[in-house]
Amino acid sequence: QLRLVESGGGLVQAGGSLRLSCAASGGTLDPYTLGWFRQAPGKEREGVLGISARDETANCTDSVKGRFTISRDNSKNTVYLQISNLKPEDSAVYYCAAASLITVPTMCLKEWYPYWGQGTRVTVSS
């Protein structure tokens, strides 16, 4: 059973940067599409960025364009979310997720992901 564990969240001032990590155990991430999602209080979980097994990426949210970057290091069984120029509206719990056999158009849809981490909280102060 694939297990995902996020880390790297915290409290940061607006304009700052963070790198979130998601490490996998119980299996290799090589064949999986990986996604980062976030959920703010009182809101639905939304897709942020996805990356396929062939390194195709999908941007799920216009508000993060140019500020968020997803990458994967299969040798470390880890996926990353680099976040820069943080804004208060980026405050949320960030989750990573893994799925197999999904295509780029479905990368941003949480319903397609069976494996999830427990989340890491990002709080941005103004």
Side-chain angles (χ1 to χ4, degrees):
Q1 181 79 359
L2 192 67
R3 181 170 178 260
L4 304 173
V5 178
E6 302 94 335
S7 61
L11 174 64
V12 63
Q13 287 189 331
S17 299
L18 283 174
R19 188 176 79 158
L20 307 184
S21 300
C22 173
S25 60
T28 175
L29 288 180
D30 291 40
Y32 288 93
T33 289
L34 306 168
W36 281 99
F37 294 77
R38 66 185 181 184
Q39 188 166 18
K43 294 189 176 181
E44 283 198 20
R45 192 171 300 189
E46 66 171 354
V48 178
L49 286 165
I51 185 166
S52 75
R54 296 184 293 182
D55 287 340
E56 301 157 305
T57 58
N59 189 314
C60 309
T61 305
D62 286 343
S63 65
V64 308
K65 282 182 179 179
R67 300 189 299 118
F68 288 26
T69 304
I70 189 171
S71 62
R72 62 193 296 164
D73 186 340
N74 289 339
S75 69
K76 296 182 179 179
N77 229 21
T78 301
V79 60
Y80 303 98
L81 184 67
Q82 180 69 45
I83 310 173
S84 60
N85 192 20
L86 277 156
K87 303 176 180 181
E89 52 265 39
D90 294 321
S91 296
V93 178
Y94 283 73
Y95 299 89
C96 68
S100 58
L101 302 176
I102 70 172
T103 58
V104 171
T106 58
M107 238 185 248
C108 298
L109 303 178
K110 60 183 182 296
E111 293 80 9
W112 287 85
Y113 289 82
Y115 303 106
W116 290 84
Q118 84 291 344
T120 185
R121 184 175 299 277
V122 173
T123 303
V124 184
S125 63
S126 56

